[in-house]
Amino acid sequence: AQTVTQSQPEMSVQEAETVTLSCTYDTSESNYYLFWYKQPPSRQMILVIRQEAYKQQNATENRFSVNFQKAAKSFSLKISDSQLGDTAMYFCAFMNPQGAQKLVFGQGTRLTINP
Amino acid sequence: NAGVTQTPKFQVLKTGQSMTLQCAQDMNHNSMYWYRQDPGMGLRLIYYSASEGTTDKGEVPNGYNVSRLNKREFSLRLESAAPSQTSVYFCASSDLGQPDYYGYTFGSGTRLTVV
């Protein structure tokens, strides 16, 4: 079974700084998807970024980018020029596209951006 | 607005009471899922339905039942609520076969307290 580990329960940075959230996963599959979700206090689950394992190029979405290291099974999220609105829980998730396409989540990292 | 509608948003139950959480999606997705979110544990899969007419247990199915009523609707039932079922519940839908796949679409969540 796949597992996802986020080793940083909480992080805190100043506004405008860059912050990196860590995620590692365990799988024997060669093709899969990885995601980062943001959960603000509103509780809504918001997709931040996704990565397909067969694509070597790291995904980027505006201020958000990932460092995908397939051999190391690592999938970190970098937030540049952090903003107060980035304060949220962040979840890393893994999906095997075969079968039921179940998402397996990490434990989450609570990120606080300070003014 | 297209998406996943989940009701109710909040609920307080007494131990032993029963209730059904409703979920409906208008994304024309084949797969639907129920997760629970507990502090420090991320989101864990309770039950899922890979396609209309099928349901399967996830990681934490004990104490729950589900019904895939049709392609749009997937309900979660607690037959005899216990304090350990106090949690935030999320319904989600997904369909990897659709173009420009972007991951799950989540409902807004239900905060359930069992006293």
Side-chain angles (χ1 to χ4, degrees):
Chain A
Q2 290 85 9
T3 59
V4 178
T5 302
Q6 294 178 248
S7 58
Q8 305 151 313
E10 295 188 21
M11 297 187 71
S12 178
V13 299
Q14 296 300 120
E15 192 176 8
E17 289 184 343
T18 294
V19 60
T20 298
L21 309 183
S22 300
C23 173
T24 58
Y25 58 94
D26 186 24
T27 185
S28 58
E29 301 292 333
S30 59
N31 185 32
Y32 47 87
Y33 286 80
L34 294 164
F35 303 86
W36 278 98
Y37 281 91
K38 170 185 178 181
Q39 187 183 46
S42 67
R43 202 169 67 203
Q44 186 66 39
M45 294 291 287
I46 301 166
L47 177 67
V48 175
I49 201 164
R50 70 180 174 108
Q51 175 82 41
E52 297 168 65
Y54 69 88
K55 291 185 177 179
Q56 294 186 342
Q57 185 173 4
N58 289 326
T60 63
E61 289 287 344
N62 301 314
R63 298 183 294 108
F64 299 86
S65 61
V66 296
N67 183 4
F68 173 47
Q69 301 290 326
K70 191 172 183 178
K73 297 180 182 176
S74 172
F75 184 61
S76 60
L77 175 69
K78 185 171 81 171
I79 305 174
S80 304
D81 185 26
S82 58
Q83 300 175 359
L84 298 179
D86 295 333
T87 293
M89 283 289 291
Y90 287 82
F91 292 99
C92 178
F94 172 99
M95 187 180 77
N96 180 348
Q98 302 300 316
Q101 301 157 25
K102 295 176 284 186
L103 266 184
V104 178
F105 287 87
Q107 304 91 327
T109 297
R110 183 175 300 280
L111 175 65
T112 301
I113 309 299
N114 299 305
Chain B
N1 290 336
V4 177
T5 302
Q6 192 179 332
T7 57
K9 294 192 184 310
F10 301 93
Q11 184 72 47
V12 179
L13 288 179
K14 294 183 178 179
T15 297
Q17 287 185 321
S18 62
M19 80 161 295
T20 299
L21 280 64
Q22 306 286 352
C23 177
Q25 53 99 1
D26 56 8
M27 313 285 288
N28 200 33
H29 286 168
N30 281 317
S31 302
M32 298 185 73
Y33 310 83
W34 278 104
Y35 285 83
R36 61 178 287 172
Q37 181 182 7
D38 302 293
M41 305 188 75
L43 280 76
R44 293 180 295 167
L45 184 63
I46 305 171
Y47 269 94
Y48 64 96
S49 172
S51 60
E52 185 179 359
T54 68
T55 61
D56 282 289
K57 296 178 180 179
E59 182 184 358
V60 288
N62 291 344
Y64 306 95
N65 283 302
V66 291
S67 295
R68 183 77 182 265
L69 304 171
N70 47 55
K71 190 172 185 177
R72 290 187 63 248
E73 298 173 285
F74 188 41
S75 61
L76 177 72
R77 182 160 179 84
L78 286 70
E79 291 290 352
S80 179
S84 60
Q85 294 178 304
T86 293
S87 188
V88 177
Y89 291 84
F90 286 96
C91 177
S93 69
S94 176
D95 196 329
L96 190 57
Q98 293 194 352
D100 297 327
Y101 179 72
Y102 52 85
Y104 282 20
T105 300
F106 284 89
S108 56
T110 297
R111 180 174 293 280
L112 175 66
T113 303
V114 183
V115 298

